[in-house]
Amino acid sequence: RPTTRSPTTSPTPTECVEIGSPQFETSGCCRTENEGFGTFTEFTSGSAPACKSLCTADPLCMGAEYNAQTQVCELHTDIAAFHHTGIGGDCAPVRCFQCQTPTPTTAPTDE
């Protein structure tokens, strides 16, 4: 008789974690290893929590960047954008959040 373990539950969005240096008030712009911007879609959002919510509602979103001055929310679909953050200048009012959702597993069957 085969034994089957139960699959994990469907993924639920995890809390987005701000990345960057803790000594600064904001984390700065999300950047790739080569100082690139990554792949993202831009939205207008009234707050960082609202921007993070847009990301956690999108299964393709890996993280978000929020600019408090312009109220621009970037939803990033490439994990490469979270290598490090750019600080100062235009990045001064910006916060970078990495958001990940665990992938559900399927039940293995031993036969």
Side-chain angles (χ1 to χ4, degrees):
R1 180 173 188 187
T3 57
T4 304
R5 288 183 286 160
S6 298
T8 60
T9 58
S10 296
T12 55
T14 59
E15 186 66 29
C16 298
V17 178
E18 189 164 6
I19 64 169
S21 181
Q23 73 255 29
F24 298 102
E25 188 174 321
T26 60
S27 55
C29 299
C30 304
R31 292 292 181 255
T32 66
E33 185 175 5
N34 298 319
E35 299 299 324
F37 303 126
T39 304
F40 63 89
T41 305
E42 236 177 61
F43 294 91
T44 300
S45 179
S47 68
C51 181
K52 291 189 296 182
S53 291
L54 286 172
C55 185
T56 58
D58 181 346
L60 299 178
C61 187
M62 296 297 210
E65 179 182 295
Y66 180 70
N67 186 319
Q69 284 184 340
T70 62
Q71 295 190 327
V72 170
C73 172
E74 296 176 0
L75 299 186
H76 288 261
T77 56
D78 184 2
I79 197 69
F82 304 100
H83 183 266
H84 67 281
T85 57
I87 56 172
D90 290 342
C91 293
V94 178
R95 297 173 73 185
C96 180
F97 303 93
Q98 187 171 6
C99 311
Q100 292 185 346
T101 303
T103 305
T105 60
T106 56
T109 303
D110 297 329
E111 295 189 33

